[in-house]
Amino acid sequence: MSNPKTTVVFIPALLCDATLYIDVIERLGDQIEAHVMMSPKPTMAASVADILARAPKTFALVGTSYAGNLALEIAIAAPERVTALWLMGCDAAAPQAGGPDLAGGLSTQPEAVIDMLGTVIAHPDNKDAAATFKTMAHRVGGQAGAAQATALATRQESLTRLRGLAIPALVLWGADDALVPVAAGKTLAQNLPHAHFHALPHCGHLPTLEAPAAAADLFAKFLMEETAHHA
């Protein structure tokens, strides 16, 4: 008898769409039932409510960058519905004052912001990943990206709220992430009671886009181990 599929909700990073996860979803095949959900609302709370209203009853949850922060807020709001977490490139600390106005830039000069992000989003050697990100960003558009950036900039610190969260978590980072350093990923994993941390070499901010085979293998192993552990 085959194992039942794991229901997984994938939330794309800021300015990204389903293409961010398509290779990983294909590699996981029959192991999962995938749902890709975008919710470009201008507050985290609104996006949390929107995703929970549309998501299956229970699900594993995947989020990258801004969407990793959103995934954390969903897990904190409804821990009984989230069976596992896969987090990448998200900073669980409070936003620092004086940072760049990403939301304002995306509202007024989206092309310039997308071009800037395209130069730092992936490992410098992975030009294809950078080009794919820019294609996604143009599809998503400045207005939706600005809403996501607004939500991210007004997020609450989540580290101190994670310690009672017993959900198993895979925390996966690009070792060469130029936007959110590996140290932030290690801190996140240390504050999650049941987390597994991995850093992928030669990888930037978007592991599922830059290293889909390695990312999918780690998630598949994580799901199998956690399913067996909780069987």
Side-chain angles (χ1 to χ4, degrees), residues 92-137:
Q96 293 186 351
D101 181 13
L102 193 58
L106 284 167
S107 294
T108 59
Q109 296 179 301
E111 296 292 329
V113 173
I114 289 169
D115 284 346
M116 179 275 293
L117 289 173
T119 65
V120 296
I121 200 82
H123 189 279
D125 292 342
N126 199 331
K127 305 300 184 187
D128 288 345
T132 300
F133 164 76
K134 290 174 72 172
T135 300
M136 285 191 290

Short mmCIF file of all heavy atoms in Angstrom, two decimals, residues 92-137:
data_model
loop_
_atom_site.label_atom_id
_atom_site.label_comp_id
_atom_site.label_asym_id
_atom_site.label_seq_id
_atom_site.Cartn_x
_atom_site.Cartn_y
_atom_site.Cartn_z
N ALA A 92 13.31 36.42 11.18
CA ALA A 92 12.26 36.42 12.20
C ALA A 92 12.42 37.56 13.20
O ALA A 92 11.55 37.76 14.05
CB ALA A 92 12.24 35.09 12.94
N ALA A 93 13.50 38.33 13.09
CA ALA A 93 13.68 39.49 13.97
C ALA A 93 12.80 40.64 13.48
O ALA A 93 12.30 40.64 12.35
CB ALA A 93 15.15 39.91 13.98
N ALA A 94 12.61 41.62 14.35
CA ALA A 94 11.83 42.80 13.96
C ALA A 94 12.56 43.58 12.87
O ALA A 94 13.80 43.55 12.79
CB ALA A 94 11.60 43.69 15.18
N PRO A 95 11.83 44.28 12.01
CA PRO A 95 12.49 45.08 10.97
C PRO A 95 13.39 46.14 11.59
O PRO A 95 13.06 46.72 12.63
CB PRO A 95 11.32 45.73 10.22
CG PRO A 95 10.12 44.92 10.56
CD PRO A 95 10.36 44.37 11.93
N GLN A 96 14.53 46.39 10.98
CA GLN A 96 15.43 47.42 11.46
C GLN A 96 15.03 48.77 10.91
O GLN A 96 14.65 48.90 9.74
CB GLN A 96 16.87 47.10 11.05
CG GLN A 96 17.43 45.86 11.73
CD GLN A 96 18.90 45.64 11.41
OE1 GLN A 96 19.47 46.33 10.55
NE2 GLN A 96 19.52 44.70 12.09
N ALA A 97 15.10 49.79 11.76
CA ALA A 97 14.78 51.14 11.32
C ALA A 97 15.83 51.63 10.32
O ALA A 97 17.00 51.26 10.38
CB ALA A 97 14.73 52.08 12.52
N GLY A 98 15.38 52.44 9.38
CA GLY A 98 16.30 53.05 8.44
C GLY A 98 16.67 52.19 7.25
O GLY A 98 17.56 52.53 6.48
N GLY A 99 15.96 51.07 7.07
CA GLY A 99 16.23 50.21 5.92
C GLY A 99 15.66 50.81 4.64
O GLY A 99 14.96 51.83 4.68
N PRO A 100 15.93 50.18 3.51
CA PRO A 100 15.41 50.70 2.24
C PRO A 100 13.89 50.62 2.19
O PRO A 100 13.27 49.71 2.73
CB PRO A 100 16.04 49.78 1.19
CG PRO A 100 16.39 48.53 1.94
CD PRO A 100 16.73 48.95 3.33
N ASP A 101 13.29 51.60 1.53
CA ASP A 101 11.83 51.64 1.38
C ASP A 101 11.46 50.81 0.16
O ASP A 101 11.21 51.35 -0.92
CB ASP A 101 11.35 53.09 1.24
CG ASP A 101 9.83 53.19 1.11
OD1 ASP A 101 9.15 52.18 1.36
OD2 ASP A 101 9.34 54.27 0.75
N LEU A 102 11.42 49.50 0.35
CA LEU A 102 11.15 48.61 -0.76
C LEU A 102 9.74 48.81 -1.30
O LEU A 102 9.52 48.81 -2.52
CB LEU A 102 11.34 47.16 -0.30
CG LEU A 102 11.42 46.08 -1.37
CD1 LEU A 102 12.55 46.35 -2.34
CD2 LEU A 102 11.60 44.71 -0.71
N ALA A 103 8.78 49.01 -0.39
CA ALA A 103 7.40 49.21 -0.82
C ALA A 103 7.26 50.47 -1.66
O ALA A 103 6.61 50.48 -2.71
CB ALA A 103 6.47 49.26 0.39
N GLY A 104 7.87 51.55 -1.19
CA GLY A 104 7.81 52.80 -1.94
C GLY A 104 8.46 52.69 -3.30
O GLY A 104 7.94 53.19 -4.30
N GLY A 105 9.60 52.00 -3.34
CA GLY A 105 10.29 51.82 -4.62
C GLY A 105 9.49 51.00 -5.60
O GLY A 105 9.43 51.31 -6.80
N LEU A 106 8.83 49.96 -5.10
CA LEU A 106 8.02 49.12 -5.99
C LEU A 106 6.77 49.85 -6.47
O LEU A 106 6.24 49.54 -7.54
CB LEU A 106 7.64 47.83 -5.27
CG LEU A 106 8.76 46.79 -5.18
CD1 LEU A 106 8.40 45.68 -4.20
CD2 LEU A 106 9.09 46.20 -6.55
N SER A 107 6.30 50.81 -5.69
CA SER A 107 5.14 51.60 -6.10
C SER A 107 5.49 52.60 -7.20
O SER A 107 4.69 52.83 -8.11
CB SER A 107 4.55 52.34 -4.90
OG SER A 107 4.02 51.43 -3.95
N THR A 108 6.68 53.18 -7.08
CA THR A 108 7.02 54.29 -7.99
C THR A 108 8.02 53.91 -9.08
O THR A 108 7.96 54.46 -10.18
CB THR A 108 7.60 55.46 -7.18
OG1 THR A 108 8.77 55.02 -6.46
CG2 THR A 108 6.57 55.99 -6.18
N GLN A 109 8.93 52.98 -8.78
CA GLN A 109 9.97 52.59 -9.75
C GLN A 109 10.15 51.07 -9.75
O GLN A 109 11.23 50.56 -9.44
CB GLN A 109 11.29 53.27 -9.42
CG GLN A 109 11.27 54.79 -9.53
CD GLN A 109 12.62 55.39 -9.16
OE1 GLN A 109 13.11 55.21 -8.05
NE2 GLN A 109 13.22 56.09 -10.10
N PRO A 110 9.10 50.33 -10.09
CA PRO A 110 9.21 48.87 -9.98
C PRO A 110 10.32 48.28 -10.84
O PRO A 110 10.98 47.33 -10.40
CB PRO A 110 7.83 48.38 -10.43
CG PRO A 110 7.22 49.51 -11.20
CD PRO A 110 7.77 50.75 -10.57
N GLU A 111 10.54 48.81 -12.03
CA GLU A 111 11.57 48.25 -12.90
C GLU A 111 12.95 48.36 -12.26
O GLU A 111 13.74 47.40 -12.30
CB GLU A 111 11.56 48.97 -14.25
CG GLU A 111 10.28 48.80 -15.05
CD GLU A 111 10.09 47.38 -15.54
OE1 GLU A 111 11.10 46.70 -15.81
OE2 GLU A 111 8.93 46.94 -15.66
N ALA A 112 13.22 49.51 -11.65
CA ALA A 112 14.53 49.72 -11.02
C ALA A 112 14.72 48.79 -9.83
O ALA A 112 15.81 48.22 -9.63
CB ALA A 112 14.67 51.18 -10.57
N VAL A 113 13.68 48.60 -9.03
CA VAL A 113 13.79 47.73 -7.86
C VAL A 113 13.96 46.28 -8.30
O VAL A 113 14.79 45.53 -7.75
CB VAL A 113 12.56 47.89 -6.95
CG1 VAL A 113 12.60 46.86 -5.82
CG2 VAL A 113 12.50 49.29 -6.37
N ILE A 114 13.21 45.85 -9.29
CA ILE A 114 13.33 44.48 -9.79
C ILE A 114 14.73 44.23 -10.34
O ILE A 114 15.34 43.19 -10.09
CB ILE A 114 12.25 44.19 -10.84
CG1 ILE A 114 10.87 44.11 -10.17
CG2 ILE A 114 12.55 42.89 -11.60
CD1 ILE A 114 9.70 44.10 -11.15
N ASP A 115 15.26 45.21 -11.09
CA ASP A 115 16.62 45.06 -11.62
C ASP A 115 17.64 44.96 -10.49
O ASP A 115 18.58 44.16 -10.55
CB ASP A 115 16.96 46.25 -12.52
CG ASP A 115 16.28 46.16 -13.89
OD1 ASP A 115 15.78 45.07 -14.23
OD2 ASP A 115 16.23 47.19 -14.58
N MET A 116 17.46 45.79 -9.44
CA MET A 116 18.38 45.76 -8.31
C MET A 116 18.33 44.42 -7.60
O MET A 116 19.36 43.81 -7.33
CB MET A 116 18.03 46.90 -7.34
CG MET A 116 18.92 46.96 -6.08
SD MET A 116 18.35 45.88 -4.73
CE MET A 116 16.81 46.68 -4.28
N LEU A 117 17.12 43.95 -7.33
CA LEU A 117 16.99 42.66 -6.65
C LEU A 117 17.54 41.52 -7.49
O LEU A 117 18.13 40.57 -6.96
CB LEU A 117 15.52 42.40 -6.31
CG LEU A 117 14.91 43.26 -5.21
CD1 LEU A 117 13.41 43.01 -5.09
CD2 LEU A 117 15.59 42.98 -3.86
N GLY A 118 17.38 41.63 -8.80
CA GLY A 118 17.90 40.60 -9.69
C GLY A 118 19.40 40.43 -9.62
O GLY A 118 19.93 39.36 -9.92
N THR A 119 20.12 41.48 -9.19
CA THR A 119 21.58 41.40 -9.09
C THR A 119 22.05 40.73 -7.80
O THR A 119 23.21 40.33 -7.71
CB THR A 119 22.22 42.79 -9.18
OG1 THR A 119 21.82 43.57 -8.03
CG2 THR A 119 21.81 43.52 -10.45
N VAL A 120 21.18 40.61 -6.81
CA VAL A 120 21.61 40.08 -5.50
C VAL A 120 20.80 38.87 -5.04
O VAL A 120 21.14 38.23 -4.05
CB VAL A 120 21.53 41.17 -4.41
CG1 VAL A 120 22.51 42.29 -4.71
CG2 VAL A 120 20.12 41.73 -4.25
N ILE A 121 19.72 38.53 -5.75
CA ILE A 121 18.78 37.52 -5.26
C ILE A 121 19.36 36.11 -5.31
O ILE A 121 19.07 35.27 -4.44
CB ILE A 121 17.46 37.59 -6.06
CG1 ILE A 121 16.32 36.92 -5.29
CG2 ILE A 121 17.61 36.97 -7.44
CD1 ILE A 121 15.70 37.78 -4.25
N ALA A 122 20.18 35.82 -6.31
CA ALA A 122 20.73 34.47 -6.51
C ALA A 122 22.24 34.50 -6.37
O ALA A 122 22.87 35.57 -6.33
CB ALA A 122 20.33 33.94 -7.89
N HIS A 123 22.85 33.32 -6.30
CA HIS A 123 24.30 33.23 -6.31
C HIS A 123 24.82 33.88 -7.60
O HIS A 123 24.22 33.71 -8.67
CB HIS A 123 24.74 31.77 -6.24
CG HIS A 123 26.20 31.60 -6.02
ND1 HIS A 123 27.12 31.70 -7.05
CD2 HIS A 123 26.92 31.36 -4.90
CE1 HIS A 123 28.33 31.52 -6.58
NE2 HIS A 123 28.24 31.30 -5.26
N PRO A 124 25.91 34.64 -7.54
CA PRO A 124 26.41 35.35 -8.73
C PRO A 124 26.64 34.47 -9.94
O PRO A 124 26.55 34.94 -11.08
CB PRO A 124 27.73 35.96 -8.24
CG PRO A 124 27.58 36.09 -6.77
CD PRO A 124 26.72 34.94 -6.34
N ASP A 125 26.92 33.18 -9.72
CA ASP A 125 27.16 32.29 -10.85
C ASP A 125 25.89 31.75 -11.48
O ASP A 125 25.94 31.12 -12.53
CB ASP A 125 28.03 31.10 -10.40
CG ASP A 125 29.44 31.51 -10.03
OD1 ASP A 125 29.86 32.62 -10.43
OD2 ASP A 125 30.13 30.74 -9.33
N ASN A 126 24.75 31.99 -10.83
CA ASN A 126 23.49 31.41 -11.31
C ASN A 126 22.67 32.47 -12.04
O ASN A 126 21.68 32.99 -11.53
CB ASN A 126 22.70 30.80 -10.15
CG ASN A 126 21.65 29.82 -10.61
OD1 ASN A 126 21.12 29.92 -11.71
ND2 ASN A 126 21.33 28.85 -9.76
N LYS A 127 23.09 32.78 -13.24
CA LYS A 127 22.40 33.80 -14.03
C LYS A 127 20.99 33.37 -14.42
O LYS A 127 20.09 34.21 -14.53
CB LYS A 127 23.21 34.12 -15.30
CG LYS A 127 24.65 34.54 -15.04
CD LYS A 127 24.75 35.79 -14.18
CE LYS A 127 26.20 36.24 -14.02
NZ LYS A 127 26.33 37.35 -13.05
N ASP A 128 20.78 32.08 -14.63
CA ASP A 128 19.45 31.60 -15.01
C ASP A 128 18.45 31.85 -13.89
O ASP A 128 17.30 32.25 -14.15
CB ASP A 128 19.50 30.11 -15.35
CG ASP A 128 20.19 29.83 -16.67
OD1 ASP A 128 20.39 30.79 -17.45
OD2 ASP A 128 20.54 28.66 -16.91
N ALA A 129 18.85 31.60 -12.65
CA ALA A 129 17.95 31.83 -11.52
C ALA A 129 17.61 33.31 -11.40
O ALA A 129 16.45 33.67 -11.15
CB ALA A 129 18.57 31.30 -10.23
N ALA A 130 18.59 34.17 -11.58
CA ALA A 130 18.34 35.61 -11.51
C ALA A 130 17.37 36.04 -12.61
O ALA A 130 16.45 36.84 -12.37
CB ALA A 130 19.65 36.37 -11.63
N ALA A 131 17.56 35.50 -13.81
CA ALA A 131 16.68 35.85 -14.92
C ALA A 131 15.26 35.34 -14.67
O ALA A 131 14.27 36.03 -14.96
CB ALA A 131 17.23 35.27 -16.22
N THR A 132 15.13 34.14 -14.11
CA THR A 132 13.81 33.60 -13.81
C THR A 132 13.12 34.44 -12.75
O THR A 132 11.91 34.69 -12.84
CB THR A 132 13.93 32.14 -13.33
OG1 THR A 132 14.52 31.36 -14.38
CG2 THR A 132 12.57 31.55 -13.00
N PHE A 133 13.87 34.88 -11.74
CA PHE A 133 13.28 35.76 -10.73
C PHE A 133 12.74 37.03 -11.36
O PHE A 133 11.61 37.46 -11.07
CB PHE A 133 14.31 36.14 -9.65
CG PHE A 133 13.87 37.31 -8.83
CD1 PHE A 133 12.91 37.16 -7.84
CD2 PHE A 133 14.38 38.59 -9.07
CE1 PHE A 133 12.46 38.24 -7.10
CE2 PHE A 133 13.94 39.68 -8.34
CZ PHE A 133 12.98 39.51 -7.35
N LYS A 134 13.51 37.65 -12.24
CA LYS A 134 13.06 38.90 -12.86
C LYS A 134 11.81 38.67 -13.71
O LYS A 134 10.90 39.51 -13.72
CB LYS A 134 14.19 39.51 -13.68
CG LYS A 134 15.33 40.05 -12.81
CD LYS A 134 16.51 40.53 -13.62
CE LYS A 134 16.23 41.80 -14.35
NZ LYS A 134 17.44 42.36 -14.99
N THR A 135 11.73 37.55 -14.40
CA THR A 135 10.54 37.23 -15.19
C THR A 135 9.32 37.09 -14.27
O THR A 135 8.23 37.61 -14.57
CB THR A 135 10.76 35.94 -15.99
OG1 THR A 135 11.86 36.13 -16.88
CG2 THR A 135 9.52 35.58 -16.80
N MET A 136 9.50 36.38 -13.16
CA MET A 136 8.41 36.25 -12.18
C MET A 136 8.00 37.62 -11.65
O MET A 136 6.81 37.93 -11.54
CB MET A 136 8.83 35.37 -11.00
CG MET A 136 8.89 33.89 -11.28
SD MET A 136 9.09 32.91 -9.75
CE MET A 136 10.78 33.33 -9.30
N ALA A 137 8.98 38.43 -11.30
CA ALA A 137 8.71 39.74 -10.70
C ALA A 137 7.91 40.63 -11.64
O ALA A 137 6.99 41.35 -11.20
CB ALA A 137 10.02 40.41 -10.31
#
